[in-house]
């Protein structure tokens, strides 16, 4: 059984298949008469809505479930929640705090599991990011994306996605907020050409895309004050964007904390593709779900 927990679950060819399905004007009715459970332990605007609409576009029926309703390992075990969902649904998506929860769900091989964001990975976001860059640049091979900020779930999936499409990945994070050894090894094993820079200016210089995420991810709220201090100098503003390639685009997975990790002028400026990127969440999700349904038919 195939699952989608992180981008390196997919080969390069499979990533391209998903992107092609995402851009196809003719959505296959791959989920006709089928259900998908969407379990959220954390809030969501884009992921919930894009996934619900993608399931509908494929002819299926999405069921939104708040984490506390099923209570992973409190009301019943993660495995028993998954077994229950498999009684009713052909696919299960989960947004969780701890990545091992989605691994435990997938390990049962009862129903395909989609990671809708964990502390470690956000593969659906990375697929939408690739789609956005493909639409902006055409061929991705040889292009570069510069990520400025916390080496978090979004950064890890983006790095792996860049590797799968022949892009180079640059990153600049404050000291102590770079990739840990396990993630760095995983990215290296995926064959990603990664450039690590101390100064955001050096990461961004000549890059085709500049990418930003929040400094404080969901679940880290208690560290927000400390992080604001630690990330000083890592805000993306027009001065930094001017160092990128002349036709460079700006990306942010959103939600944005305006004038914290990025200025209004960049978010709302000519180079920004953030709303195309948000809309692409639905197209990328539709491609990923159509691909998963086909693989697991
Ligand atoms: N980018 C993203 O996953 O947004 P939400 O948290 O609103 O789903
Ligand atoms: N890194 C952020 C992404 C939100 C879509 C978080 O995990 O909260």
């Amino acid at each position: 059984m195939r699952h989608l927990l992180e981008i390196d679950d997919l080969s390069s060819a499979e990533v391209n298949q998903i992107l092609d399905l995402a851009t196809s004007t003719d959505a296959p009715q791959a989920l006709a008469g089928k259900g998908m459970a969407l379990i959220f332990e954390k809030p969501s605007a884009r992921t919930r809505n894009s996934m619900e609409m993608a399931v509908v576009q494929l002819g299926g029926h999405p069921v939104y479930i708040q984490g506390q309703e099923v209570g992973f390992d409190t009301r019943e075990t993660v495995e028993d929640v998954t077994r229950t969902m498999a009684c009713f649904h052909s696919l299960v998506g989960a947004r969780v705090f701890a990545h091992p929860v989605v691994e435990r769900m997938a390990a049962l091989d009862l129903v395909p599991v989609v990671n809708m964001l964990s502390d470690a990975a956000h593969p659906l976001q990375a697929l939408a990011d690739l789609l956005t860059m493909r639409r902006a640049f055409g061929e991705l091979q040889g292009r570069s994306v510069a990520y400025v900020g916390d080496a978090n779930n979004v950064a890890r999936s983006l790095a792996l996605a860049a590797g799968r499409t022949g892009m180079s990945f640059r990153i600049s994070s404050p000291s102590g907020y770079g990739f840990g050894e396990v993630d760095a090894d995983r990215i290296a094993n995926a064959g990603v050409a990664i450039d690590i820079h101390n100064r955001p200016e050096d990461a961004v210089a000549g890059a085709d895309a500049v990418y930003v995420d929040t400094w404080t991810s969901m679940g880290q709220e208690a560290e927000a004050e400390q992080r604001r201090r630690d990330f000083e100098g890592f805000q993306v503003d027009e001065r930094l964007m001017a160092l990128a390639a002349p036709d460079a685009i700006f990306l942010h997975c959103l939600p944005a904390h305006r004038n914290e990790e990025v200025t209004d002028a960049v978010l709302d400026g000519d180079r920004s593709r953030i709303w195309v990127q948000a809309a692409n969440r639905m197209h990328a999700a539709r491609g990923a779900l159509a691909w998963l349904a086909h693989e697991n038919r």
Side-chain angles (χ1 to χ4, degrees):
M1 181 166 282
R2 298 297 300 273
H3 305 277
L4 179 53
L5 304 190
E6 177 54 304
I7 291 293
D8 54 6
D9 290 340
L10 305 167
S11 67
S12 292
E14 288 168 344
V15 167
N16 281 312
Q17 278 171 29
I18 289 174
L19 299 181
D20 289 343
L21 281 164
T23 46
S24 158
T25 47
D26 188 22
Q29 294 302 287
L31 299 181
K34 297 180 174 173
M36 179 165 191
L38 304 172
I39 306 171
F40 284 86
E41 285 193 308
K42 303 177 185 180
S44 170
R46 280 143 290 268
T47 305
R48 175 184 175 181
N49 285 280
S50 61
M51 287 292 281
E52 288 205 19
M53 289 313 300
V55 172
V56 167
Q57 288 168 358
L58 295 171
H61 182 84
V63 176
Y64 169 75
I65 301 155
Q66 288 189 355
Q68 72 246 32
E69 292 178 61
V70 289
F72 287 132
D73 287 336
T74 52
R75 191 163 186 266
E76 56 192 322
T77 64
V78 167
E79 286 75 12
D80 285 351
V81 171
T82 311
R83 290 183 184 106
T84 306
M85 294 301 143
C87 295
F88 313 115
H89 296 288
S90 299
L91 291 159
V92 178
R95 168 168 283 198
V96 300
F97 284 98
H99 190 75
V101 170
V102 284
E103 292 178 332
R104 284 168 60 194
M105 296 174 82
L108 294 174
D109 269 344
L110 264 181
V111 61
V113 175
V114 178
N115 176 12
M116 300 195 297
L117 181 145
S118 66
D119 56 354
H122 198 1
L124 292 169
Q125 180 66 53
L127 290 169
D129 301 338
L130 289 179
L131 198 56
T132 310
M133 290 189 281
R134 198 165 88 162
R135 282 184 174 170
F137 304 137
E139 180 59 44
L140 292 178
Q141 179 83 34
R143 295 284 186 165
S144 55
V145 55
Y147 180 98
V148 178
D150 190 19
N152 60 14
N153 44 9
V154 167
R156 188 177 95 166
S157 294
L158 182 68
L160 292 168
R164 285 293 187 263
T165 50
M167 296 184 74
S168 59
F169 182 81
R170 301 130 169 235
I171 184 165
S172 180
S173 314
S175 170
Y177 294 96
F179 285 120
E181 209 173 311
V182 174
D183 282 343
D185 285 351
R186 183 165 179 160
I187 292 166
N189 287 337
V192 181
I194 183 165
D195 283 331
I196 299 170
H197 297 275
N198 291 332
R199 298 172 64 242
E201 289 80 359
D202 296 332
V204 163
D208 295 305
V210 177
Y211 199 114
V212 168
D213 185 14
T214 180
W215 294 338
T216 303
S217 286
M218 292 180 274
Q220 299 172 334
E221 289 77 7
E223 301 168 23
E225 266 315 307
Q226 182 65 46
R227 283 172 172 262
R228 263 192 282 275
R229 284 194 291 276
D230 293 344
F231 281 79
E232 209 175 304
F234 282 77
Q235 183 188 67
V236 171
D237 56 14
E238 286 176 299
R239 179 196 60 87
L240 206 58
M241 280 305 294
L243 303 175
D247 61 347
I249 61 169
F250 173 80
L251 299 172
H252 191 316
C253 60
L254 305 177
H257 303 83
R258 285 177 171 267
N259 302 310
E260 200 168 292
E261 70 267 11
V262 56
T263 59
D264 278 345
V266 172
L267 273 173
D268 303 328
D270 289 349
R271 291 161 178 253
S272 175
R273 294 291 179 278
I274 59 171
W275 299 116
V276 177
Q277 185 185 5
N280 280 339
R281 290 294 309 273
M282 180 175 72
H283 304 304
R286 191 176 62 247
L289 296 182
W291 178 83
L292 261 184
H294 183 263
E295 288 298 308
N296 293 303
R297 68 192 181 280

